[in-house]
Amino acid sequence: MNIINVGYRSTNYYALEIKNGKLLFDCGWPGTMPQFTAELKRKGITPTEIKYVLVSHFHTDHAGLVQEFRNLGAKFILLESQVHFIKPLNDFHKRKKTPFAEIFEDGNLILKFEDSRKFLASIGLSGEIIATPGHSDDSITLILDEGFAFTGDLPPRSLVPDEDRITKESWNKIYSHKITRIYPAHGNSSS
Ligand SMILES: [Zn+2]
């Protein structure tokens, strides 16, 4: 699997090779499309190669550029648990008057977790998407059968206090798969 980190401003964004293009896992920081585009080009990717965008959760550094990629022709995939998180993010940015492109609620591909494996297979990825709440209720993890987990902002497993049962359970779910490498949204990947 060709995983290209196209991150900047201490956030990792991952471009994954799929049939006929790339899937982008997270894309953030409103108003930074020129920087993102430059970073993609530096890594040999044309922005229009991004066919799908998936976000770990709806915080501004992870979902800040979704609509701008949609405008370039990418399809936005969101999980059933994430649907109601678009509006709060849109409202937040409207209130703050940031350079955020409002995410359209229609025209997206809404996936059930149980259908994620089939969908990923259809675009050439072998894996699944699971709900991993903890950092936020809408947080998801993309698992590739090669042993890779893209965990977004889920706090590192070793730092989760025992009383945080939700996050602990999310890590247990992740490690019920054969995992050899974790790709977090901040910091380095680790085995
Ligand atoms: Zn976050």
Side-chain angles (χ1 to χ4, degrees):
M1 160 57 55
N2 190 13
I3 298 163
I4 306 166
N5 187 350
V6 290
Y8 54 94
R9 285 208 204 165
S10 62
T11 310
N12 301 320
Y13 306 119
Y14 299 103
L16 311 180
E17 195 85 48
I18 57 166
K19 269 184 207 162
N20 310 322
K22 303 272 190 286
L23 176 145
L24 189 59
F25 187 79
D26 279 348
C27 58
W29 301 117
T32 66
M33 198 57 182
Q35 192 174 352
F36 207 122
T37 303
E39 192 56 35
L40 286 172
K41 286 186 180 154
R42 222 165 59 78
K43 302 274 165 74
I45 303 170
T46 319
T48 51
E49 272 180 73
I50 307 291
K51 302 298 181 203
Y52 295 95
V53 172
L54 172 66
V55 299
S56 58
H57 62 296
F58 282 80
H59 283 167
T60 203
D61 50 337
H62 303 268
L65 293 172
V66 166
Q67 188 58 40
E68 293 180 64
F69 278 100
R70 276 194 56 176
N71 294 346
L72 290 178
K75 188 93 185 164
F76 184 38
I77 314 159
L78 69 168
L79 278 299
E80 51 191 334
S81 65
Q82 296 183 310
V83 172
H84 300 297
F85 289 80
I86 297 182
K87 195 177 178 313
L89 187 69
N90 283 341
D91 290 347
F92 169 84
H93 284 286
K94 250 182 256 171
R95 257 194 333 268
K96 299 269 178 191
K97 298 187 168 58
T98 66
F100 172 76
E102 185 177 335
I103 302 172
F104 297 164
E105 294 191 56
D106 57 345
N108 300 313
L109 180 61
I110 299 165
L111 267 188
K112 288 189 168 143
F113 287 102
E114 69 217 54
D115 296 334
S116 64
R117 175 168 290 278
K118 202 170 153 204
F119 167 75
L120 291 172
S122 77
I123 62 168
L125 288 176
S126 165
E128 64 184 282
I129 302 165
I130 61 172
T132 49
H135 170 72
S136 65
D137 289 347
D138 60 330
S139 287
I140 55 111
T141 289
L142 168 65
I143 295 200
L144 297 182
D145 295 340
E146 270 178 79
F148 304 147
F150 298 84
T151 53
D153 277 351
L154 196 66
R157 197 183 200 187
S158 58
L159 301 181
V160 181
D162 276 342
E163 58 272 23
D164 186 353
R165 293 183 171 280
I166 291 176
T167 307
K168 277 215 162 315
E169 182 50 31
S170 287
W171 278 114
N172 290 342
K173 267 167 70 182
I174 291 167
Y175 276 100
S176 70
H177 298 76
K178 185 188 77 63
I179 300 297
T180 54
R181 194 153 201 93
I182 299 292
Y183 290 86
H186 305 283
N188 295 327
S189 68
S190 60
S191 48

